[in-house]
Amino acid sequence: MLVVMEHGATPEHVQRVVKTIEELGYQARPMPGAQRTAVGLVGNDGRVDSSRLAALPGVKEIIHVTQPYKQVSREWQQEPTRVHVAGGIVIGGDDVVVMAGPCAVESETQILTAARQVRAAGAVILRGGAFKPRSSPYTFQGLGLKGLKLLVRAREETGMAIVTEAMDAEGVDQVAEHADIIQIGARNMQNYSLLKRAGRAGKPVLLKRGMSATITELLLSAEYLLAEGNRDVILCERGIRSFDPATRNVLDLTAIPLVHSLSHLPIIADPSHGTGRRDKVIPMARAAVAAGADGIMVEVHPEPDRALSDGDQTLYPDQFAELMRQIRGIADAIGRRIAEPVGAEA
Ligand code: PEP
Ligand code: MN
């Protein structure tokens, strides 16, 4: 529930609303905004009797949020959330942010080479898994902490921010300590203890859609992060399972405008996992930008044929450079811009 304050409401009026919400046994979240000041009420598991709050001085109206998710909804917050990442990068603003890098960090040479290549082509965030959720326990599982340290080296050298996955609650702290964005993978979208921990980690979170998750389930998982106090949440459409094995997944591009209408959170697309096929990544990256994605995440490796994971869907560096050229044109056509590396020519 949202208590919307009148334009002339004083800080005392807002304070009185906060106190009343607490007296009723709920938590209050004051939200000063450019358009309106409101106080959110959380902690209720059903409709709250709002008569006491409606009668308080300075209160304009009470909005009952109709969706099962509350704080992530557009009803709760009208303006889009802009997630600020280290290095002056903003996700959810006018710029479309490109995250690129290998599926997994494999060695110092591999990650540094990949970082230089994607940075030169214009990516602003480096991706690379140190902890890998693999279908088989016998395949490469990632370098762990050593991988995180190599990502930090790549950041020091290139100035790129880094995003990497945390697979369990203990891993969240390690990832938060080293990375700029904590990635929660598709397989863990509904790992609620992991979400709670990530919600308290003090770093932006990239939440990937589960491979059979509905949009409502995705937004409810994001709600876990906001409920813990983390407002810096970026959603990611990474393809859903279908009956057709022609592609690894089906990139659900409708999710992008849908999420934008239901939520104020930014949403990016991952055409690499979304298709599973290298030759389909560029067209779907173009389509994602055209559909209004706030960013894209793409797998790129100096030598995809030697990649220890996901080589089939990984771009060669020159293909990635071509992708960047093409999406600049698409962004331009819809009045957006591809975010440039800080310090690069505009
Ligand atoms: C990844 O981005 O490395 C990854 C494992 O993706 P997903 O969780 O979407 O499968
Ligand atoms: Mn991968």
Side-chain angles (χ1 to χ4, degrees), residues 102-104 127 132 248 273 299 309-310 313-314:
C103 179
R127 64 146 288 143
K132 294 304 302 175
R248 183 178 180 186
H273 295 89
E299 287 183 339
S309 56
D310 286 350
Q313 65 191 34
T314 298

Side-chain angles (χ1 to χ4, degrees), residues 10 29 36 48 55 61 64 70 88 107 133 170 172 182 198 201 224 227 247 264 270-271 289 316 335 345:
T10 64
R29 298 272 159 90
R36 66 173 189 199
V48 172
E61 61 173 331
H64 291 278
K70 306 295 172 195
S107 69
E170 307 78 69
V172 166
I182 305 165
Y224 268 86
T247 54
H264 51 85
D270 170 353
V289 174
Y316 290 90
E345 305 286 304

Side-chain angles (χ1 to χ4, degrees), residues 98-131:
V98 179
M99 312 179 183
C103 179
V105 182
E106 298 170 358
S107 69
E108 177 164 351
T109 310
Q110 176 250 17
I111 193 65
L112 291 180
T113 308
R116 287 182 206 121
Q117 288 168 334
V118 297
R119 169 74 166 77
V124 288
I125 300 181
L126 176 67
R127 64 146 288 143
F131 301 97

